[in-house]
Amino acid sequence: MSLSAPELRARKRRLGAAPIVMVTAYDEPGARYVDAAGVDAILVGDSLANVVLGHADTLHVTVEEIAHHVRAVAAARPQAHLVADMPWLSYHLGVADAVRNAAILVRAGAQAVKLEGGRERVEVVRALLDAEIPVMGHVGLTPQSMLAFGGFKVQARTREAVDRLLEGAIAVQEAGAYAIVVEGVPGVVGTAVTEALEVPTIGIGAGPDTDGQVLVFHDLLGLSGRPTAKFVRTYADLGSAITEAVTHYRDDVREGRFPGPAETYATPAGLSE
Ligand code: KIV
């Protein structure tokens, strides 16, 4: 049985819980590998747009595309809690539309949905909970706001902005969110939000004091092929390993070393004379 939203909600570090480990995944093998590592939660993020579909931002991914990848991840039957991102414009056009879109993601296999924003999302969070769909919040550097922000910029750099962020995070919690991602804020702000909330915070570029951390699969594994943000730690260079292996294969084919006897079916008795 996968870790549930109420179980994740109980994972507050100040109550003695271990930090939550979340990572993104977008397909069945990826989900199988990260689940085998014992992570607590898998996010089918709208970062799908950047790291899998090659877009420059997350504004170009649809509910159907996310659902397609949620189905693939769910096929791995992970022990980890499975969250799906609600993409841009899937929860901005009214609560009925938001619930319908979230239901598509749940029917694809998600146990919960994540959406970006603060106080302005209270109504939609309540409507999703009325439909029995657990909601994870996301505040700070919300990538779906990149046009409004004028780029991907660290948020909450003034007293007023910190107060706004805190107020928004508390509003989303009061509306019923079971956990909140905090992205791209100074470490002290990650600490302050975590202290202010009863639900766990999951940080990405929010310092070491949040109740958990999340990283994007391709960034963590050296597969993104692009400069990573300051907050990323790259644990493997799988991109180079792939190119090296495929170069080796190319050379073997061109030099007649592949396939060899080990990769060739033996001659049947009836064909041997
Ligand atoms: O889409 C995503 O991958 C995310 C995480 C970075 C939190 O929202």
Side-chain angles (χ1 to χ4, degrees), residues 22-268:
M22 183 157 88
V23 64
T24 67
Y26 313 93
D27 58 21
E28 194 274 343
R32 198 158 20 88
Y33 288 127
V34 302
D35 200 49
V39 299
D40 300 302
I42 296 176
L43 170 68
V44 182
D46 60 356
S47 50
L48 169 70
N50 310 107
V51 297
V52 175
L53 303 178
H55 296 296
D57 55 56
T58 58
L59 305 180
H60 292 86
V61 77
T62 64
V63 174
E64 286 69 29
E65 286 169 325
I66 302 242
H68 178 76
H69 288 265
V70 170
R71 270 191 291 278
V73 167
R77 302 187 175 282
Q79 291 295 302
H81 179 67
L82 176 48
V83 188
D85 245 339
M86 295 200 69
W88 178 62
L89 229 53
S90 69
Y91 53 98
H92 305 71
L93 303 179
V95 294
D97 190 49
V99 171
R100 249 189 317 272
N101 287 326
I104 292 172
L105 300 174
V106 168
R107 288 197 169 132
Q111 293 170 271
V113 296
K114 175 167 84 57
L115 53 79
E116 299 182 2
R119 169 159 294 291
E120 70 282 10
R121 302 296 171 226
V122 163
E123 203 191 346
V124 73
V125 172
R126 287 205 186 113
L128 291 167
L129 289 165
D130 273 353
E132 317 296 350
I133 301 173
V135 179
M136 182 178 282
H138 185 161
V139 299
L141 199 184
T142 45
Q144 292 171 18
S145 319
M146 56 83 70
L147 295 177
F149 287 164
F152 299 101
K153 297 179 178 162
V154 176
Q155 298 297 300
R157 297 175 65 87
T158 64
R159 189 68 258 164
E160 295 70 38
V162 173
D163 289 346
R164 220 169 26 250
L165 184 139
L166 280 170
E167 197 246 344
I170 290 167
V172 170
Q173 167 183 272
E174 299 303 307
Y178 69 99
I180 300 189
V181 168
V182 185
E183 177 166 356
V185 297
V188 288
V189 179
T191 308
V193 184
T194 303
E195 281 172 0
L197 294 182
E198 283 158 29
V199 298
T201 54
I202 304 177
I204 174 160
D209 292 334
T210 50
D211 296 300
Q213 298 289 332
V214 53
L215 279 178
V216 168
F217 182 91
H218 293 67
D219 291 342
L220 188 157
L221 296 171
L223 284 167
S224 66
R226 58 183 177 148
T228 51
K230 174 181 171 61
F231 56 73
V232 170
R233 188 177 293 174
T234 301
Y235 285 86
D237 186 6
L238 298 194
S240 300
I242 289 172
T243 303
E244 199 179 314
V246 177
T247 304
H248 199 166
Y249 163 62
R250 180 203 68 187
D251 291 346
D252 279 358
V253 172
R254 289 189 179 155
E255 310 286 327
R257 289 189 297 265
F258 178 85
E263 295 98 6
T264 302
Y265 295 112
T267 310

